[in-house]
């Protein structure tokens, strides 16, 4: 298995040119399966992990300790670089964000993201100056080896203001972010505007649902990195919910026809077992 430094170098190199897909597993099993498919990097999903714990996607519900344990487990289970969805940094003050970023580095990640949303419906975005200072503090804590992604959450929190999004991302880039991310962008014009605003720094685009976009089309717009957020986790939940509702409501088992065969999954994880760093000895 590559060392953490080797994973970090590989992850930074991925951001230098071209476009790569970085899907989001929600647990160790899904991470190993995605690695098996050949993706060059993976990213955790705070929502996918929270739903698996029976919790909402909220810093208040899933605290820093739980998030760090999850990130560490996924990073240790894979040979490819892992980017941590580190939510708000699990703190408000810049110095506290920096301290938590330092702890996240200890989980073996190659990159992490920090967002500027709050849990306050009346003020869903952090004050601009504070948000920039938090990114600057996170960048200093991350250092030159770890890729820091700064997120402007405007579109996700009901403030779909492209000018404000660009203003924030541009400031985050100046504050030291290596990659910029505005989840919720929907149109080619919005994506192209963000790419142009922060060039030559990398831009991540989220495609978390069925979309008319293809990877090649987004690459053509200058997007450097593509992620799916909780999309794969929710796809798995979709199959589970449909099958469970059919069983509870109609007494039918038809929805399990699309289930991946036990033999296929068991064979994969049996073959993977000798390479697992956390396998039980003997």
């Amino acid at each position: 298995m590559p060392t953490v430094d080797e994973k970090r170098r590989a992850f930074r190199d991925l951001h230098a040119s071209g476009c790569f897909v970085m899907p989001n597993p929600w647990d160790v099993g899904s991470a190993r399966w995605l690695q098996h498919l050949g993706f060059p990097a993976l990213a955790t999903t705070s929502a996918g992990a929270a739903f698996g714990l029976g919790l909402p996607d909220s810093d208040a519900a899933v605290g820093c300790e739980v998030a760090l344990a999850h990130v560490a487990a996924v990073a240790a289970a894979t040979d490819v670089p892992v980017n941590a969805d580190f939510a708000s940094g699990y703190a408000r003050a810049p110095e506290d964000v920096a301290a938590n970023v330092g702890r996240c580095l200890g989980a073996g990640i190659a990159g992490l993201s920090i967002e500027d949303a709050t849990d306050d419906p009346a003020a869903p975005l952090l004050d601009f100056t504070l948000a920039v200072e938090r990114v600057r503090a996170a960048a200093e804590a991350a250092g030159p080896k770890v890729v820091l992604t700064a997120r402007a959450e405007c579109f996700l929190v009901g403030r779909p203001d492209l000018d404000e999004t660009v203003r924030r991302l541009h400031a985050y880039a100046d504050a030291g972010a290596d990659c910029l991310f505005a989840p919720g962008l929907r149109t080619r014009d919005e994506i192209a505007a963000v790419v142009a605003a922060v060039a030559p720094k990398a831009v991540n685009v989220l495609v978390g649902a069925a979309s008319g976009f293809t990877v090649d089309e987004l690459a053509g717009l200058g997007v450097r990195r593509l992620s799916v957020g909780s999309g794969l986790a929710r796809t798995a939940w979709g199959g589970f919910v449909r099958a469970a509702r059919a069983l509870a409501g109609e007494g039918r088992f038809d929805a399990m026809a699309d289930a991946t065969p036990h033999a296929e999954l068991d064979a994969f994880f049996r073959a993977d077992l000798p390479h697992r760093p956390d396998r039980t000895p003997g």
Side-chain angles (χ1 to χ4, degrees):
M1 176 177 284
T3 67
V4 172
D5 279 345
E6 288 170 340
K7 290 180 181 180
R8 288 173 176 171
R9 285 195 295 271
F11 195 49
R12 186 165 287 279
D13 288 347
L14 284 170
H15 291 77
S17 63
C19 179
F20 68 99
V21 179
M22 182 182 71
N24 305 69
W26 61 93
D27 60 10
V28 167
S30 57
R32 289 196 171 112
W33 185 266
L34 289 170
Q35 174 180 282
H36 151 74
L37 293 177
F39 291 104
L42 304 175
T44 63
T45 159
S46 62
F51 300 156
L53 294 171
L55 297 170
D57 182 18
S58 163
D59 290 10
V62 182
C64 189
E65 299 300 329
V66 174
L68 287 171
H70 172 71
V71 168
V74 172
T78 58
D79 295 335
V80 298
V82 170
N83 186 79
D85 177 355
F86 207 48
S88 67
Y90 301 93
R92 187 176 182 89
E95 60 270 23
D96 295 333
V97 171
N100 286 341
V101 167
R103 298 177 67 202
C104 193
L105 266 59
I109 50 89
L112 75 159
S113 62
I114 298 289
E115 62 190 46
D116 59 6
T118 73
D119 284 329
D120 182 0
L125 291 171
L126 289 167
D127 170 78
F128 176 82
T129 301
L130 174 60
V132 174
E133 288 304 313
R134 283 160 42 88
V135 171
R136 182 172 289 110
E140 291 173 358
K145 295 182 179 180
V146 173
V147 174
L148 175 68
T149 299
R151 297 173 43 146
E153 303 289 289
C154 307
F155 279 73
L156 281 194
V157 300
R159 305 288 176 86
D161 183 332
L162 184 60
D163 290 338
E164 177 63 14
T165 298
V166 167
R167 181 173 83 110
R168 286 179 176 253
L169 292 181
H170 194 276
Y172 299 162
D174 288 344
D178 303 294
C179 183
L180 291 309
F181 184 12
L185 300 180
R186 292 288 183 268
T187 70
R188 286 170 175 77
D189 288 346
E190 290 169 349
I191 294 168
V194 166
V195 169
V198 302
K201 293 203 173 184
V203 169
N204 184 100
V205 165
L206 169 71
V207 185
S211 166
F213 288 118
T214 66
V215 172
D216 287 345
E217 287 169 346
L218 290 166
L221 294 174
V223 176
R224 192 66 48 80
R225 191 177 86 187
L226 300 172
S227 60
V228 299
S230 64
L232 290 175
R234 290 183 289 103
T235 299
W237 272 96
F240 163 74
V241 169
R242 284 190 295 274
R245 283 176 172 163
L247 184 59
E250 305 167 36
R252 299 183 65 87
F253 302 90
D254 309 50
M256 287 190 281
D258 293 330
T260 303
H262 174 278
E264 180 180 349
L265 291 173
D266 191 62
F268 172 77
F269 289 114
R270 283 180 185 273
D272 190 50
L273 188 61
H275 309 292
R276 290 173 54 175
D278 57 340
R279 66 188 180 94
T280 302

